[in-house]
Amino acid sequence: MESRIERLCIEKGLKMTGQRRTIARVLSEPGDHPDVEELYRRAAALDARISIATVYRTVRLLEEQGILEKRDFGGGRARYEPTEHGHHHHLIDIDSGRVIEFEEEAHEQLLREIAARLGFELVSARLELFGRRADTQSAISRPAATRADATSVGEPSAAPGQASLRHRGAAR
Amino acid sequence: MESRIERLCIEKGLKMTGQRRTIARVLSEPGDHPDVEELYRRAAALDARISIATVYRTVRLLEEQGILEKRDFGGGRARYEPTEHGHHHHLIDIDSGRVIEFEEEAHEQLLREIAARLGFELVSARLELFGRRADTQSAISRPAATRADATSVGEPSAAPGQASLRHRGAAR
DNA sequence: GTATTTGCAAAACCTTTGCTCGGCT
DNA sequence: AGCCGAGCAAAGGTTTTGCAAATAC
């Protein structure tokens, strides 16, 4: 069976080697933001004949093709997610590290206005919210104009603002 | 004479060595987002007896004390700026790498609402706009509710969105 | 006087790359 | 058959760290 990313690769005319197919499959797992190490671990589990250099080369290739986007949530490692058409942003749960995606029409418009006011044409934007679960039951409240996919992700490490949480002595 | 950052260090009870004083002074230059290398260059110009390891240790210390904030605008190096009370955001000129700061009341409110809708309490947020100078004369247009300080900064390297622009073969 | 901080150099970390071999079309 | 991709290992860049000497309080 053929993964979504693999299909995109074929459309772009990329050669589909076994390794790329495996990596494409891993990347097609929905709602995820793995770093290269994590991708490598998952891919190697499916096919031990994959080196980390290939993972690096592949994500770079896919990024250049517009199939993937590179993210930096702090912590020293780049993380990747499939490009989607509606631009979305991220809310990081500062307690668990979970990443929640959302998009907001009203917001896009406001950003364009801010840029224009400063004399710029908006090319792209990146918005990250760092928040804490509203502690009561109220944590349901239907997303209205907002689409949200919860997305469990790596270690609980996200930093408020951009303060790094690199614990002394912890590996980077 | 005593720089703003130095005063903060003393309040926090940090030992003020000559090197820290120099670095504090350099960091007190307003509206700037230098990376460690740049800090080192400027500090070394004032006092040649400073090593880059000390600069790293100092910015880390100041960050842990809440005096500095670490930023990542892409390009592989962390950049630092003094913590300020009014949260501001950044617009990066993708052609020149210049960073412009702004703040927006309406925007803060909207962010809180978005977080609330997802069931979170907003702790902090990071917003970065990547834009291109509106090419005509119109580039003046008074910032209305928006305060802006232009801030020339390092090399022209910032990336749109988070797509990396690491040119093949270019140093990281 | 003692605990911290510094400088230096080496290590650690993530990422890229040169080269040779292997595999896809 | 030819060419592009993969593996390995070494190099690249940024940041951290171990240790002895220097410095602040």
Side-chain angles (χ1 to χ4, degrees):
Chain A
M1 156 250 161
E2 192 179 68
S3 70
R4 201 181 72 83
I5 304 276
E6 182 180 352
R7 199 158 36 242
L8 290 170
C9 290
I10 295 171
E11 281 171 24
K12 296 271 186 184
L14 303 179
K15 278 196 181 165
M16 287 316 293
T17 67
Q19 289 89 331
R20 282 191 189 162
R21 225 182 306 272
T22 301
I23 295 169
R25 195 151 308 169
V26 165
L27 281 167
S28 294
E29 294 169 13
D32 206 0
H33 306 76
D35 59 34
V36 169
E37 193 97 29
E38 175 65 21
L39 284 174
Y40 173 55
R41 228 173 296 130
R42 296 186 198 171
L46 300 182
D47 174 2
R49 307 183 36 65
I50 287 186
S51 84
I52 195 160
T54 297
V55 180
Y56 273 106
R57 279 192 272 236
T58 303
V59 293
R60 182 181 200 156
L61 174 72
L62 297 187
E63 190 196 346
E64 286 168 359
Q65 296 297 320
I67 295 173
L68 283 188
E69 280 174 16
K70 182 193 269 188
R71 298 284 161 196
D72 182 351
F73 297 148
R77 287 128 106 128
R79 290 159 63 168
Y80 289 87
E81 68 180 330
T83 299
E84 294 191 11
H85 288 327
H87 287 152
H88 62 267
H89 301 291
H90 297 97
L91 187 156
I92 295 101
D93 181 330
I94 61 176
D95 295 316
S96 71
R98 219 170 20 122
V99 176
I100 293 170
E101 302 181 350
F102 66 89
E103 55 186 270
E104 258 279 324
E105 257 321 308
H107 189 256
E108 298 295 333
Q109 185 51 37
L110 178 53
L111 298 187
R112 257 187 302 277
E113 280 167 24
I114 294 174
R117 212 180 292 147
L118 296 172
F120 283 76
E121 183 185 348
L122 187 65
V123 172
S124 72
R126 124 194 178 191
L127 170 66
E128 276 137 36
L129 305 183
F130 295 84
R132 167 165 292 136
R133 198 82 121 296
D135 45 12
T136 47
Q137 27 41 293
S138 68
I140 326 96
S141 74
R142 194 189 311 72
T146 306
R147 169 182 69 84
D149 318 290
T151 285
S152 180
V153 140
E155 73 262 32
S157 76
Q162 278 185 338
S164 83
L165 296 184
R166 225 164 273 170
H167 318 308
R168 289 217 132 197
R172 175 168 114 103
Chain B
M1 157 250 161
E2 191 178 67
S3 71
R4 200 181 73 82
I5 305 275
E6 182 180 352
R7 199 158 38 242
L8 289 170
C9 291
I10 294 170
E11 282 169 24
K12 296 270 185 183
L14 303 179
K15 278 194 181 165
M16 288 313 295
T17 65
Q19 290 89 331
R20 283 193 188 159
R21 226 182 305 274
T22 301
I23 295 170
R25 194 151 309 168
V26 165
L27 280 166
S28 295
E29 294 169 11
D32 206 0
H33 307 75
D35 59 33
V36 169
E37 192 97 28
E38 176 64 20
L39 284 174
Y40 172 56
R41 228 173 297 129
R42 296 185 198 171
L46 300 183
D47 173 2
R49 306 182 37 65
I50 287 185
S51 86
I52 195 159
T54 297
V55 180
Y56 273 107
R57 280 191 273 234
T58 302
V59 292
R60 182 181 198 155
L61 175 72
L62 298 187
E63 190 195 346
E64 286 166 0
Q65 296 297 321
I67 295 173
L68 282 189
E69 280 174 15
K70 184 194 266 189
R71 299 285 160 194
D72 181 351
F73 297 147
R77 288 128 104 128
R79 289 157 65 165
Y80 290 88
E81 68 180 329
T83 299
E84 294 192 13
H85 290 325
H87 287 151
H88 61 265
H89 301 290
H90 299 98
L91 186 156
I92 295 100
D93 181 331
I94 61 176
D95 294 317
S96 71
R98 221 174 15 130
V99 176
I100 293 170
E101 301 181 350
F102 65 90
E103 53 186 90
E104 258 280 325
E105 259 321 308
H107 189 254
E108 297 295 332
Q109 186 49 38
L110 177 54
L111 297 187
R112 258 189 301 278
E113 280 167 24
I114 293 175
R117 212 180 293 148
L118 297 171
F120 282 76
E121 184 186 349
L122 187 65
V123 171
S124 72
R126 128 192 176 193
L127 169 65
E128 276 137 35
L129 306 184
F130 295 84
R132 169 164 291 137
R133 199 86 120 292
D135 45 10
T136 47
Q137 28 37 296
S138 67
I140 325 95
S141 74
R142 195 191 306 73
T146 305
R147 166 182 72 84
D149 319 288
T151 285
S152 181
V153 140
E155 74 262 31
S157 76
Q162 278 185 338
S164 81
L165 294 184
R166 225 163 272 169
H167 316 310
R168 291 218 129 195
R172 175 170 114 103

